[in-house]
Amino acid sequence: MNREDFKILYTGLIYFDNAATALKPYILSETISDYYNYYSANAHRGNYDLSLKSSKMYEKTRLLVKEFINAQKEKEIIFTSGTTDSINKIVFGYFKHHLKKDDEVLLSKSEHASNVLPWFMLSKEIGFKIKYIPLNENHEITLESLKKMLNNKTKVIALAHITNVVGDIRPLAEIIEIAHKNNILVLVDGAQSVAHMPVDVQKLDIDFLAFSAHKMSGPTGVGVLYGKENLLKETTPIILGGGMSAEFNTKGEVIYKDLPDLLEAGTPNIAGVIGFGETIKYLNNIGMDKIRIYEQELKQYLIKRLKEIKKVKIYNEKANSSIVTINYEGISPYDLALYLNKYNICVRAGNHCAKILKEELNINNTCRISLYFYNTKKEVDYLIETLKNIEVFDF
Ligand SMILES: Cc1ncc(COP(=O)(O)O)c(C=O)c1O
């Protein structure tokens, strides 16, 4: 779908590394370049036309994001530099002030480093315990395994909506319902989901959601932290500076602004945020439901065709996302990625920042093929033919 909007695809490139970052439609760079060329004033800091325009465009994106994830209020949308930044802002801005030594935080072993390392550091500081919800034979968490982990010390469940190696989609609605019945807050890492399926924060009753614009064909350096207003109000800013205070004096007294300014100190990535607004309009025009259905069909086709190659081991056939993780018998995933690169095919080799998952998969590294709406069956066919010809490649 919409391939003509991606100039990079005109070169014949086959891009299957969408879980790392997605390609950008030309409208993104045009929007960003318009900002830099015609109204590159600071936002929220000037009362002249140029600055007012830049503020207006910046805030327009906030409204678009609010509608995109169906948040209740615009002030629940905080612009950050990405998922990593959003999670850190919540772990150190909210949970640092709400967790105690005897509390427990639940993660899984398939979480990305961004949803593990902040917890490690805070746990060292406060002393709370981190526990891992066990994974089943398909490397998924189940509601039963989750329920077994709960006790009256459990205060947070922090999980990816879609994991970035196994690609399983977590049953968020059920997880959150169980959590809330037990007075547990849920932080959702939406880095791999918001780009690929409709995510409705009110319907799912998500407490905190983090995601990155660059994985949804938007700019790098822009992300979103969504939080319910009452929770964000109790979040202490971990970055302090311009734009977030109404008053301060030499006695050190500060009157802070309300949300969202409170959590957006300093000049933000104005161009990126404005570009992100255009990305959201672009995705809305295609339709997130349509994207989800298209990717599902393409993913099934990819699996079917990969199965023609005996030496290919698929680790996550049952996963419901557009991520397919494989290895090719006798060839390291790094060599495989290099081989495919020779044929203009981009895939990702490695542990994909989910460094504790290898304990579960019993394998250090894999090759990840991750799809997006502009990928096609023809590209999958080319990948399969290239993999079938691998014997003649000299490693
Ligand atoms: C599941 C998951 N969480 C978090 C991240 C971190 O995203 P970012 O690097 O945009 O902050 C990624 C990136 O690959 C991811 O896949």
Side-chain angles (χ1 to χ4, degrees):
M1 288 197 274
N2 293 49
R3 287 175 67 79
E4 63 284 0
D5 298 335
F6 295 82
K7 290 193 179 168
I8 204 168
L9 293 176
Y10 298 1
T11 61
L13 179 86
I14 297 186
Y15 187 76
F16 284 143
D17 194 17
N18 294 290
T21 197
L23 302 180
K24 322 299 175 200
Y26 68 85
I27 187 76
L28 175 65
S29 53
E30 280 190 358
T31 306
I32 289 177
S33 119
D34 263 8
Y35 166 77
Y36 282 126
N37 286 322
Y38 302 115
Y39 61 102
S40 68
N42 212 326
H44 306 137
R45 282 159 174 78
N47 58 358
Y48 52 94
D49 283 352
L50 226 54
S51 176
L52 293 174
K53 176 164 183 188
S54 131
S55 310
K56 192 171 143 204
M57 296 295 282
Y58 184 88
E59 289 307 319
K60 209 163 143 192
T61 302
R62 201 184 308 275
L63 177 63
L64 284 162
V65 174
K66 171 203 164 263
E67 285 165 359
F68 192 72
I69 60 168
N70 192 29
Q72 220 175 25
K73 297 179 181 170
E74 279 159 76
K75 58 169 75 167
E76 294 175 322
I77 306 299
I78 308 298
F79 289 118
T80 65
S81 71
T83 307
T84 307
D85 187 23
S86 303
I87 295 177
N88 274 270
K89 284 200 160 92
I90 282 309
V91 172
F92 295 104
Y94 182 86
F95 288 110
K96 181 170 168 161
H97 308 284
H98 291 82
L99 289 176
K100 305 211 167 48
K101 188 172 178 301
D102 291 330
D103 291 338
E104 291 181 2
V105 171
L106 290 185
L107 308 177
S108 84
K109 284 191 184 168
S110 40
E111 298 312 305
H112 186 279
S114 301
N115 190 29
V116 176
L117 300 185
W119 293 111
F120 280 3
M121 185 169 273
L122 190 62
S123 147
K124 279 213 172 97
E125 197 179 317
I126 295 181
F128 60 77
K129 208 180 252 174
I130 295 173
K131 287 185 164 177
Y132 300 92
I133 307 163
L135 305 179
N136 68 9
E137 65 284 2
N138 294 322
H139 321 292
E140 301 157 341
I141 56 168
T142 63
L143 297 179
E144 288 64 39
S145 59
L146 166 70
K147 280 182 201 157
K148 279 186 197 148
M149 298 298 292
L150 301 180
N151 60 48
N152 57 10
K153 294 178 184 169
T154 318
K155 293 287 152 37
V156 193
I157 300 174
L159 293 173
H161 189 179
I162 299 182
T163 59
N164 67 311
V165 181
V166 174
D168 56 317
I169 305 182
R170 265 78 186 258
L172 265 195
E174 292 84 350
I175 291 174
I176 294 174
E177 198 186 342
I178 294 169
H180 287 170
K181 272 189 189 146
N182 290 281
N183 292 321
I184 298 166
L185 289 176
V186 182
L187 185 156
V188 177
D189 170 353
Q192 297 294 346
S193 65
V194 178
H196 297 273
M197 62 194 283
V199 175
D200 182 327
V201 292
Q202 288 193 68
K203 206 161 146 198
L204 292 165
D205 203 17
I206 293 175
D207 297 310
F208 296 110
L209 173 72
F211 59 98
S212 301
H214 71 94
K215 293 194 199 273
M216 43 203 293
S217 284
T220 53
V222 177
V224 171
L225 161 62
Y226 158 82
K228 286 179 181 162
E229 186 187 2
N230 63 317
L231 298 173
L232 287 184
K233 275 198 156 157
E234 286 185 32
T235 302
T236 306
I238 58 169
I239 309 281
L240 295 104
M244 45 102 72
S245 71
E247 255 339 306
F248 57 86
N249 60 28
T250 50
K251 290 184 213 151
E253 294 159 342
V254 187
I255 300 171
Y256 290 107
K257 285 191 185 163
D258 194 6
L259 296 168
D261 300 343
L262 177 69
L263 298 174
E264 287 182 12
T267 299
N269 183 349
I270 304 166
V273 168
I274 292 172
F276 185 34
E278 205 54 41
T279 311
I280 292 189
K281 284 196 233 160
Y282 182 84
L283 293 176
N284 281 337
N285 280 338
I286 304 176
M288 290 311 293
D289 279 318
K290 208 167 146 195
I291 289 177
R292 167 94 183 114
I293 292 164
Y294 179 81
E295 283 180 9
Q296 279 310 291
E297 203 187 307
L298 189 60
K299 188 252 177 101
Q300 290 313 325
Y301 183 71
L302 170 63
I303 298 257
K304 187 178 118 209
R305 295 244 40 211
L306 280 171
K307 283 183 167 175
E308 291 170 19
I309 308 169
K310 283 203 176 59
K311 288 191 173 175
V312 168
K313 178 174 168 59
I314 306 171
Y315 291 96
N316 62 340
E317 196 186 323
K318 298 245 159 55
N320 219 356
S321 70
S322 50
I323 293 173
V324 179
T325 298
I326 64 163
N327 260 327
Y328 192 103
E329 194 187 311
I331 300 173
S332 95
Y334 291 101
D335 283 343
L336 188 65
L338 277 177
Y339 165 71
L340 293 173
N341 177 53
K342 268 187 161 275
Y343 294 90
N344 230 0
I345 302 172
C346 309
V347 297
R348 170 92 179 263
N351 56 45
H352 322 291
C353 298
K355 296 193 197 307
I356 39 184
L357 181 65
K358 57 182 187 282
E359 294 170 22
E360 291 282 328
L361 290 179
N362 271 332
I363 185 96
N364 276 338
N365 297 307
T366 52
C367 233
R368 182 179 68 186
I369 306 160
S370 51
L371 310 170
Y372 210 11
F373 58 85
Y374 39 72
N375 291 125
T376 62
K377 284 188 177 168
K378 204 168 147 203
E379 289 179 325
V380 169
D381 290 339
Y382 182 67
L383 168 75
I384 300 298
E385 292 325 306
T386 312
L387 285 172
K388 282 182 176 172
N389 288 333
I390 209 161
E391 310 292 0
V392 295
F393 185 75
D394 187 15
F395 282 96

